[in-house]
């Protein structure tokens, strides 16, 4: 987007004729999320009030954890979404009008008001993570901030290095290894010289995890009990388990973790799309016997690592040492489908939505 | 015991006329341990072969974890006991005859061959923890090594300071707070200036935890759901949970732990005396949302902390800043009852057995 079009949009905006669509929570899903739980509504986009700025979103991240906030709450997680309100999620876009200091038309911004075409923001985030200016160039396009250079990338990086305290010689097991986070974890662990085992939900994904991402072994968790598959590919046990799914995977990992092993609890996608109470691992006691550490985290808790992480990841991306798979859905009208497919395990890599008018190669 | 009696015993031993009793596992308990699962057998005590030494036990520690090893195994814990073999557990006693370097008649020894009146030992432990010489004097009698100066003490100390990484201002919750480990954890945390909450299994124990051990608050977990009681006495939440019991306690603690809170997984006595598969905490996902750490441990993993621990604990005991409750059972014939009562929650403080001829004040 060039300066002229930015100015034009700002004028349109100022004239009050701008309209944009947003995805709202219509009803709370009891089990699987279905299209009727969400609705897409077109609303007037107001010019920024003093202290505000307006961003036209180009790309949006679709994250499984959004599903958690559609429930009534009580998991100790982020507050549930209100019915009738738009969802929240990471997005990038350009400022089209601003009455806020530090944000000028044309600036590229990473912020949390996704799930809408236009985002009205304040510099302190107003209850969400504060929006930040991002550098965009040919090598690091906007969309990279939805994936490897954004929170997803930080999650992989700190989860493996800080939370699981990756040590020389560790054997690493990653679940959802073909997913947005898992695919990076596999590659970072390989870069560091580790033996890496992945699990995924289809033969195609399993082949992708070994052939494209470079894992030493992988299995499809739908073929047979996870414990059996894991024991087969990890006869010597594992030292680190990067847990994206919870449930049976965690239980299987606890069985084969070696003394002083570590689990990074990153997510539990196997439990998000259900109403039932999740049952914890029946073998948690093995943590006593083996001196295991289980540590939960969200990337925001490690925000102070963002600078170091971005420097490392930029270098890896530029050297071609990290490859980042994406699955792109076109237009906000397909954002609900993107999330439903992601929760069903029907996607591969990072799921993002390109908004109408977003740069084709972003 | 003086030098003369030691020599006499060595002679008796050498003459081959010595006999001693031991407690053997007769059958594996499916649920509650009952007297018929154990048997007490008198056996010949043989003089030490080359490289061996013989100890007459004075005191024996009764630990809930012994119950785990009566099962078929598979918890990833120490190997199960063999049927027909004597149990294992910490004991102290004096060498009565020795053909091993470094162990002389009269020496006081801490070792793992409890549950028998005479223990035939080798310096490297022969598959158990190596026996160690201990200093015994009026202020630190033999029995102290079964409790505050032994593995139980180290468990409390490293569990709180190393495993749970106790930090200034932490609110600490301890389950089984009237027990062998819990009673020390409460007092160490109070010494460090923390707010401490305990749970126990009777009104008498609750009063003991607050009035004698100095906890700020305590509740009886049998009165109502643990979560309700804990929420009442910890309205601001907790930062550290020292888990001796597992089950509902752990689930309740996960609910009220504050961000970056820590759990030291020390034991799960609530699950030992049952055959069913333990169900893990249904709310483990809160560890993700709150960035919690759960870390299992056994004191042996922190053996390098023994010297520092003993120095601190000796000073606390001598200053009267730590008080150590004990429940003493007399004679090996009462050792099975001691364990059964301990598992049923019918004891208070550290459960130890004084063997016939053990010093009355140890």
């Amino acid at each position: 987007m060039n300066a002229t079009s930015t100015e034009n949009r700002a004028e349109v905006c100022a004239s009050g004729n701008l309209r944009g669509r947003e995805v709202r929570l219509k009803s709370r899903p009891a089990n699987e999320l279905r299209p009727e739980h969400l609705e897409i509504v077109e609303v007037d986009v107001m010019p920024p009030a003093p202290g505000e700025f307006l961003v036209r979103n180009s790309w949006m991240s679709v994250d499984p954890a959004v599903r958690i906030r559609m429930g009534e709450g009580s998991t100790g997680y982020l507050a549930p979404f209100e019915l009738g309100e738009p969802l929240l999620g990471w997005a990038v876009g350009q400022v089209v009008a601003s009455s806020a200091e530090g944000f000028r038309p044309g600036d590229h911004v990473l912020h949390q008001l996704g799930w809408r075409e236009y985002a009205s923001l304040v510099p302190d985030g107003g209850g969400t993570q504060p929006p930040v200016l991002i550098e965009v160039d040919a090598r690091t396009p906007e969309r990279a901030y939805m994936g490897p250079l954004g929170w997803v990338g930080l999650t992989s990086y700190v989860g493996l290095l800080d939370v699981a305290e990756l040590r020389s010689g560790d054997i690493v097991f990653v679940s959802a290894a073909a997913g947005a986070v898992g695919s990076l974890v596999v590659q970072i662990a390989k870069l560091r010289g580790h033996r890496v085992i992945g699990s995924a939900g289809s033969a195609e994904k399993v082949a992708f995890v070994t052939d494209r991402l470079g894992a030493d072994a992988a299995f499809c968790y739908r073929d047979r009990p996870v414990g059996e598959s894991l024991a087969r590919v990890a006869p010597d046990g594992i030292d680190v388990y990067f847990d994206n799914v919870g449930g049976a995977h965690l239980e299987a990992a606890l069985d084969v973790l070696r003394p002083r092993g570590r689990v990074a609890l990153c997510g539990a996608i196997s439990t998000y799309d259900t109403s039932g109470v999740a049952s914890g691992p029946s073998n948690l006691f093995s943590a006593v016997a083996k001196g295991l550490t289980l540590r939960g985290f969200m990337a925001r808790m490690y925000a102070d690592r963002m600078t170091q992480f971005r420097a490392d990841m930029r270098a890896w991306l530029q050297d071609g040492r990290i490859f980042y798979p994406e699955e792109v859905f076109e237009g906000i009208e397909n954002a609900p489908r993107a999330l439903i497919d992601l929760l069903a395990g029907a996607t591969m890599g990072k799921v993002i939505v390109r908004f109408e008018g977003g740069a084709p190669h972003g």
Side-chain angles (χ1 to χ4, degrees), chain A:
Chain A
M1 193 176 279
N2 58 39
T4 311
S5 69
T6 300
E7 280 159 22
N8 287 347
R9 291 211 172 272
E11 279 165 31
V12 171
C13 173
S15 75
N17 290 332
L18 201 56
R19 288 175 65 81
R21 290 172 293 174
E22 61 186 33
V23 180
R24 294 179 180 173
L25 183 61
K26 193 172 169 190
S27 59
R28 300 197 187 279
N31 290 294
E32 294 79 36
L33 178 67
R34 293 190 307 272
E36 59 266 35
H37 296 118
L38 302 173
E39 63 179 344
I40 298 178
V41 178
E42 188 173 301
V43 296
D44 284 330
V45 177
M46 305 305 290
E52 290 182 355
F53 62 100
L54 186 68
V55 166
R56 182 175 196 280
N57 285 332
S58 325
W59 295 90
M60 185 189 97
S61 170
V62 180
D63 298 292
V66 167
R67 173 65 182 81
I68 307 173
R69 303 180 73 180
M70 295 179 187
E72 299 282 355
S74 86
T75 57
Y77 197 70
L78 300 170
F81 296 131
E82 299 289 338
L83 289 178
E85 291 292 317
L87 309 183
L88 295 172
W90 291 104
V92 286
Q94 269 185 293
V95 177
V96 290
S98 177
S99 298
E101 209 170 325
F103 293 88
R104 291 169 312 175
D107 284 349
H108 296 271
V109 178
L110 171 63
H111 63 88
Q112 273 203 306
L113 298 193
W115 298 92
R116 68 203 78 188
E117 291 179 307
Y118 288 89
S120 183
L121 289 153
V122 290
D124 73 358
T128 67
Q129 296 270 300
V132 293
L133 296 175
I134 54 173
E135 274 178 66
V136 171
D137 57 34
R139 283 174 179 278
T140 52
E142 275 187 322
R143 66 196 286 173
Y145 290 89
M146 299 289 84
L149 290 177
W151 292 97
V152 160
L154 184 64
T155 299
S156 316
Y157 183 91
V158 301
L160 192 59
L161 304 184
D162 298 40
V163 179
E165 298 177 37
L166 189 68
R167 295 168 197 162
S168 175
D170 280 348
I171 297 177
V172 177
F173 171 47
V174 188
S175 54
V181 170
S183 60
L184 288 175
V185 175
V186 168
Q187 292 177 88
I188 297 171
K190 284 309 298 175
L191 273 174
R192 298 265 174 151
H194 294 270
R195 177 172 168 81
V196 180
I197 294 157
S199 73
S202 71
E204 184 197 359
K205 289 183 183 181
V206 166
F208 176 80
V209 169
T210 51
D211 302 352
R212 295 296 308 273
L213 302 179
D216 299 282
F219 62 86
C220 175
Y221 68 82
R222 298 184 207 265
D223 286 352
R224 58 180 64 78
V226 179
E228 281 179 34
S229 299
L230 186 55
R232 188 176 309 186
V233 294
D236 301 324
I238 62 174
D239 302 289
V240 163
Y241 171 45
F242 195 110
D243 187 16
N244 290 308
V245 303
H249 271 84
L250 177 56
E251 203 160 274
L254 288 170
D255 274 344
V256 300
L257 273 157
R258 298 196 285 204
R260 300 278 184 149
R262 286 137 278 135
V263 178
L265 298 169
C266 180
I269 194 170
S270 71
T271 68
Y272 294 167
D273 224 7
T274 59
S275 60
V277 172
S279 66
S282 65
N283 55 350
L284 186 58
F285 182 70
S286 62
V288 176
K290 295 193 281 190
L292 307 180
T293 301
L294 292 80
R295 181 174 285 145
F297 76 109
M298 297 200 294
R300 67 180 58 192
M301 298 164 186
Y302 296 82
D304 60 334
R305 294 276 279 149
M306 187 63 101
T307 305
Q308 179 64 50
F309 148 69
R310 282 234 172 100
D312 284 348
M313 184 59 79
R314 258 184 222 280
W316 291 332
L317 289 168
Q318 289 186 2
D319 296 350
R321 301 188 73 188
I322 291 266
F323 151 74
Y324 197 65
E326 288 170 337
E327 191 149 335
V328 179
F329 288 74
E330 296 291 344
I332 193 169
E333 63 275 20
N334 285 308
R337 171 54 50 198
L339 179 58
I340 289 166
D341 284 1
L342 170 58
L343 290 168
T347 60
M348 197 144 77
K350 176 65 190 165
V351 177
I352 52 178
V353 176
R354 174 165 37 209
F355 284 11
E356 201 184 334
H361 302 290

